[in-house]
Amino acid sequence: MFRKTLKKDPELFQNVSEGLRRLYRTKLFPLEDTYRFHDFHSPALEDADFDNKPMVLLVGQYSTGKTTFIRHLMEQDFPGMRIGPEPTTDSFIAVMHGEQDGVIPGNALVVDPKKPFRKLNAFGNAFLNRFMCAQLPNPVLESISIIDTPGILSGEKQRISRGYDFAAVLEWFAERVDRIILLFDAHKLDISDEFSEVIRALKNHEDKMRVVLNKADQISTQQLMRVYGALMWSLGKIINTPEVVRVYIGSFWAQPLLVPDNRKLFEAEEQDLFLDIQSLPRNAALRKLNDLIKRARLAKVHAYIISSLKKEMPSVFGKDSKKKELINNLGEIYQRIEKEHQISPGDFPNISKMQEILNGQDFSKFASLKPKLLEQVEDMLAHDIARLMALVRQEEAAMPSQSVHGGAFEGAMSGPFGHGYGEGASEGIDELEWVVGRDKPSYDEIFYTLGPINGKVSGAAAKKEMLKSKLPNTVLGKIWKLADVDRDGYLDDEEFALANHLIKVKLEGHELPAELPNHLVHQKAHRCVGMC
């Protein structure tokens, strides 16, 4: 009786991280462990994987500006930083917050239970000698951590062995980070074989992927259009998905623009990228939840594959020949499992990679199908995840929408150099004179042709004139609402001028404000509203 009651009661979680940790340990890990998931796909998750700050992984060929990009974000050098036209960054550097500047070498880093890197131990000394953590007190790093990577080689250089599986290390990071930024140099756009291999290794993480076309100030507008087109074509061939990856164009460093023609474009793109990065802390819990769901689906499929192979194996004679036969016919086993358990083909692991790992495995040690373990994971996906989702929304609502501060994020947010300051509806924000007054004489000429009565034109008369802008009714309706300051259903000459000013703002490609800013309200209207 007591056990039944326990099972029916929903699990109560203090927060999302604790809930994910507990679900993983009690429901998903037993399935992974039984079917040796960690030998095939990904090491077991640890507490630090659920508690760590959002991480941003930077990937690109050498001299595309990865390290400079980090320095630009933080507006500060970090320990171990090297910048140059040759392949300078030869290590993976985790740039994280710390009370003092310092470097933790890889071998010490993978034994620290508070850092989410312990499972990197599996890649051996060749990798660990090329891995470090740079710690420094920087406000940007209070909210996110950044992973700098060695420049991907091109041409002859890429034939030199690194001594560890570079693509596999990147894939390990890709599973755990919140954002993957691929950097390309607009000045020399070539995608080497190693870079293509890396992008393919990140294929299951397109939702985290963003592309930065850096150093775009070094070429003219016409050249930039060609380079952008070539980049999209090349990425389409490698990633091979119908969805287009988001590409940000700009020059991400604190130096004067060499070709300033596209300054406004670069500012808008930088603002969009910064907003994307600033949203990471708020969306971190949802990302971890999403990654756990993806992992659970793969673990389920993996359990079906391993148990099927176990079932097909003879108990005594002909084990080796049967093993080879099963590996060669893995595609047919996939199809059978897909039909039998109604599993999407996209949930199955890469067949060639699976065949390669299976060659070194002893099939006789595989576990047979254990329905109870699979039921636990099904229950987690069907019920526990839904409860955690509600908790995710609560945590998101409690967090500010832009929770990364300091460094370049401060300069882009406020003051006259903030994005869009003094443009569109913000034009004239710091001027003493009413900005609409500049063009009011020309608007007045139109106003008096509409036959105002008692100094005002009716909605019908104003509508005929406003429709000449060819803007949709939904937009014109919003403009009317903003311009009719005293809400009397008529427009006087100031309100009519304001309506025309807002039409001009919209026609120039700017957004309309949700509410009328103070600098657009005429002083007479201020007095009227106060009296009303």
Side-chain angles (χ1 to χ4, degrees), residues 499-515:
N500 279 279
H501 178 78
L502 291 171
I503 287 171
K504 186 180 86 164
V505 165
K506 190 64 186 171
L507 290 175
E508 287 174 353
H510 301 286
E511 290 302 314
L512 294 171
E515 294 180 2

Side-chain angles (χ1 to χ4, degrees), residues 81-100:
M81 184 182 99
R82 288 168 63 208
I83 296 172
E86 75 285 359
T88 46
T89 303
D90 61 350
S91 301
F92 281 80
I93 304 176
V95 187
M96 305 181 86
H97 189 267
E99 294 304 316
Q100 293 180 323

Side-chain angles (χ1 to χ4, degrees), residues 5-13 22 383-384 387:
T5 311
L6 262 182
K7 192 169 183 182
K8 282 181 183 175
D9 284 347
E11 291 223 44
L12 297 173
F13 307 119
R22 208 188 315 165
H383 302 109
D384 298 316
R387 282 195 291 274

Side-chain angles (χ1 to χ4, degrees), residues 7-185:
K7 192 169 183 182
K8 282 181 183 175
D9 284 347
E11 291 223 44
L12 297 173
F13 307 119
Q14 297 292 324
N15 54 54
V16 176
S17 292
E18 184 239 343
L20 290 171
R21 190 187 305 114
R22 208 188 315 165
L23 287 178
Y24 176 70
R25 283 285 155 215
T26 58
K27 297 196 173 180
L28 183 53
F29 179 77
L31 182 76
E32 291 184 355
D33 193 43
T34 302
Y35 295 102
R36 304 169 75 166
F37 179 87
H38 311 127
D39 295 339
F40 287 81
H41 304 290
S42 174
L45 298 176
E46 300 206 323
D47 289 353
D49 290 310
F50 299 104
D51 298 328
N52 66 310
K53 292 172 190 168
M55 292 193 286
V56 179
L57 177 69
L58 296 182
V59 182
Q61 291 177 187
Y62 74 90
S63 194
T64 50
K66 295 185 299 298
T67 307
T68 307
F69 180 85
I70 298 172
R71 205 222 165 281
H72 177 61
L73 287 186
M74 301 194 308
E75 293 184 344
Q76 183 181 348
D77 291 350
F78 58 88
M81 184 182 99
R82 288 168 63 208
I83 296 172
E86 75 285 359
T88 46
T89 303
D90 61 350
S91 301
F92 281 80
I93 304 176
V95 187
M96 305 181 86
H97 189 267
E99 294 304 316
Q100 293 180 323
D101 285 23
V103 170
I104 305 170
N107 280 291
L109 201 53
V110 294
V111 294
D112 185 350
K114 292 181 181 175
K115 298 278 193 297
F117 306 122
R118 280 160 60 101
K119 296 296 180 180
L120 283 168
N121 197 39
F123 293 103
N125 267 330
F127 166 70
L128 295 178
N129 292 334
R130 291 272 174 267
F131 180 43
M132 67 173 85
C133 174
Q135 289 190 315
L136 65 156
N138 183 283
V140 173
L141 300 176
E142 289 174 8
S143 306
I144 59 171
S145 300
I146 307 169
I147 312 294
D148 195 9
T149 61
I152 293 168
L153 306 173
S154 59
E156 288 295 316
K157 296 189 187 99
Q158 71 189 47
R159 296 182 188 172
I160 303 164
S161 172
R162 294 181 186 269
Y164 60 90
D165 191 337
F166 182 69
V169 172
L170 280 177
E171 195 173 354
W172 186 94
F173 275 108
E175 284 179 14
R176 288 156 178 80
V177 301
D178 298 71
R179 187 67 73 237
I180 303 164
I181 298 179
L182 302 178
L183 277 99
F184 292 87
D185 185 343

